[in-house]
Amino acid sequence: MKEEILKIKEEVQKHIEESTTLQRLEEIRVNYMGKKGIFTEISKKMKDLSSEERPVIGQIINEVKTKIVELLEEKNNNLNKKALDEKLASEVVDISLPGKKYNYGTQHPINETTELMKNIFSKMGFDIVDGPEIETVEYNFDALNIPKTHPSRDLTDTFYINDSIILRTQTSPVQIRYMLEHGAPLRMICPGKVYRPDYDISHTPMFHQMEGLVIGKDVSFADLKGILTHFVKEVFGDRKVRFRPHFFPFTEPSAEMDVECMICHGDGCRLCKESGWIEIMGCGMVDPEVLKYVGLNPDEVNGFAFGVGIERVTMLRHGIGDLRAFFENDMRFLKQFK
Ligand code: DAH
């Protein structure tokens, strides 16, 4: 029996040595050491042995079993280590390789200009305000003193949702909302999207405006000139500006503000149509009718307002010739504004 056991030992040893996977190793363990394994069978034969032989064989069996457990464990460790080494080798990271390049997006030029304008006005104490793009006819036109017969109310100039609801055609209705909400005094700007049914080189059905409003005691046209001149100089550098009389239903007196042409510096060129001036925004002293509409007393408070086209400012800042470039999402165009 001793020979039989030693033969089994050799056989197991060989199997263990030759095994290359953890799975195979487990098979070997079950086969020899498991409940129904070879050693269980052998132990059963012990009862046929003489009482002298039994302890001797018993000891041999124990020694062999201990040895096999040792060998299994050792092989198990080796196989695990080998697997880990292989895994590490396959997942090696070369930290000297150049990193992956991420394709960062760029800020849209309209947003970039909007941020610049917000920055300039917030430094002067203006609140930055939002208003709805779906607006009432009342706030977009009536409250702003725009006559019922004004052509801007026509179906050809305004997107109507129904008789009383439209897509706002200007950011000016936010003036009304903010005065109703805050009363006087106030300083606010409101950048945002506006809509008009137009599409050609210089018009898109959606574009951006920034409205501004200052209400307080004894606000003067000189305040308007001072603030707007500072704004234009911050955006376009130190250039001449001028205010031309104009008309808006919601301001009286009204003006348009021009800035010295950025191409010809006043000499006259194609951009400024030989005038030397570029029109930049509309402005004026808030009409008393507008103040009355929101419940403010024109004898106690007054103010000024202005409206700027954000596309226009962006085109002039960057020398962009075609308005439609802003909305075509051509990466070659957009990537230039890093
Ligand atoms: N809402 C005017 C427009 O869309 C722009 C404007 C002009 C706004 C004068 C004003 C202003 O607040 O005072 O053309």
Side-chain angles (χ1 to χ4, degrees):
M1 197 165 171
K2 186 179 166 190
E3 281 74 46
E4 194 191 345
I5 295 167
L6 291 176
K7 220 181 110 212
I8 291 171
K9 182 187 166 192
E10 260 171 43
E11 187 185 294
V12 188
Q13 245 170 330
K14 195 163 162 267
H15 282 159
I16 293 177
E17 240 165 64
E18 286 170 356
S19 65
T20 51
T21 65
L22 290 166
Q23 194 192 349
R24 171 76 188 123
L25 205 61
E26 177 62 10
E27 273 169 26
I28 297 167
R29 190 191 65 77
V30 172
N31 202 12
Y32 289 91
M33 313 289 281
K35 256 192 207 159
K36 293 177 187 162
I38 288 169
F39 278 97
T40 310
E41 290 305 311
I42 288 173
S43 304
K44 280 181 191 161
K45 290 184 193 163
M46 293 274 285
K47 64 180 188 306
D48 306 330
L49 295 176
S50 67
S51 55
E52 291 89 48
E53 268 180 317
R54 213 178 286 148
V56 180
I57 296 297
Q59 200 189 347
I60 293 175
I61 291 178
N62 279 343
E63 278 171 16
V64 170
K65 278 170 84 175
T66 312
K67 181 72 188 167
I68 291 175
V69 170
E70 252 172 46
L71 288 174
L72 281 170
E73 211 173 273
E74 191 185 328
K75 186 71 180 191
N76 188 46
N77 288 343
N78 283 347
L79 287 177
N80 269 328
K81 183 172 177 303
K82 208 175 132 218
L84 183 65
D85 285 347
E86 273 168 14
K87 190 159 180 261
L88 287 177
S90 75
E91 287 176 4
V92 74
V93 175
D94 182 349
I95 56 165
S96 67
L97 285 174
K100 271 188 200 157
K101 262 203 180 157
Y102 285 96
N103 212 353
Y104 287 110
T106 55
Q107 200 175 27
H108 193 282
I110 296 291
N111 289 342
E112 188 244 352
T113 297
T114 306
E115 287 306 312
L116 171 72
M117 305 205 303
K118 278 158 70 173
N119 212 339
I120 295 167
F121 279 101
S122 60
K123 279 187 199 156
M124 293 191 281
F126 283 64
D127 293 339
I128 295 160
V129 175
D130 245 348
E133 289 167 28
I134 297 173
E135 187 52 280
T136 59
V137 168
E138 187 186 344
Y139 286 176
N140 195 87
F141 294 122
D142 302 335
L144 288 163
N145 198 35
I146 299 175
K148 292 274 187 231
T149 53
H150 198 278
S152 67
R153 295 185 184 236
D154 287 353
L155 286 171
T156 49
D157 289 277
T158 299
F159 287 111
Y160 280 84
I161 292 169
N162 59 36
D163 284 350
S164 55
I165 309 286
I166 58 168
L167 295 184
R168 69 179 177 193
T169 61
Q170 47 184 354
T171 42
S172 304
V174 186
Q175 285 187 24
I176 303 299
R177 291 177 173 275
Y178 206 62
M179 283 189 285
L180 284 171
E181 203 179 307
H182 275 258
L186 67 82
R187 286 178 208 203
M188 71 87 163
I189 54 159
C190 167
K193 292 183 168 66
V194 298
Y195 300 85
R196 290 179 198 177
D198 265 334
Y199 192 58
D200 59 39
I201 313 184
S202 52
H203 298 89
T204 48
M206 184 278 294
F207 58 103
H208 298 78
Q209 282 189 340
M210 189 188 69
E211 191 73 16
L213 177 69
V214 172
I215 300 286
K217 266 195 188 325
D218 301 323
V219 179
S220 69
F221 201 90
D223 296 325
L224 175 157
K225 284 176 81 175
I227 297 249
L228 296 186
T229 302
H230 172 75
F231 164 67
V232 167
K233 292 199 169 175
E234 285 287 295
V235 175
F236 294 108
D238 196 13
R239 293 177 187 284
K240 279 190 212 141
V241 295
R242 72 173 184 189
F243 292 81
R244 256 183 308 107
H246 198 77
F247 174 80
F248 297 104
F250 32 88
T251 43
E252 182 58 37
S254 306
E256 273 191 333
M257 184 181 185
D258 295 339
V259 56
E260 181 191 303
C261 179
M262 28 301 272
I263 304 279
C264 65
H265 297 269
D267 292 344
C269 68
R270 241 179 52 170
L271 179 70
C272 60
K273 301 196 184 89
E274 305 301 331
S275 72
W277 295 98
I278 302 276
E279 180 216 315
I280 202 82
M281 69 175 114
C283 55
M285 302 306 290
V286 178
D287 194 292
E289 289 305 316
V290 175
L291 295 174
K292 278 191 230 160
Y293 187 91
V294 296
L296 293 175
N297 182 349
D299 295 328
E300 285 171 9
V301 292
N302 69 338
F304 67 83
F306 52 95
V308 199
I310 300 180
E311 277 79 2
R312 187 166 172 75
V313 173
T314 311
M315 289 169 86
L316 293 171
R317 281 180 68 215
H318 295 296
I320 298 164
D322 188 342
L323 175 73
R324 290 171 294 194
F326 291 130
F327 307 111
E328 282 167 349
N329 290 331
D330 184 335
M331 294 296 279
R332 290 165 305 179
F333 170 73
L334 295 173
K335 277 196 166 171
Q336 297 174 52
F337 302 93
K338 285 216 171 169

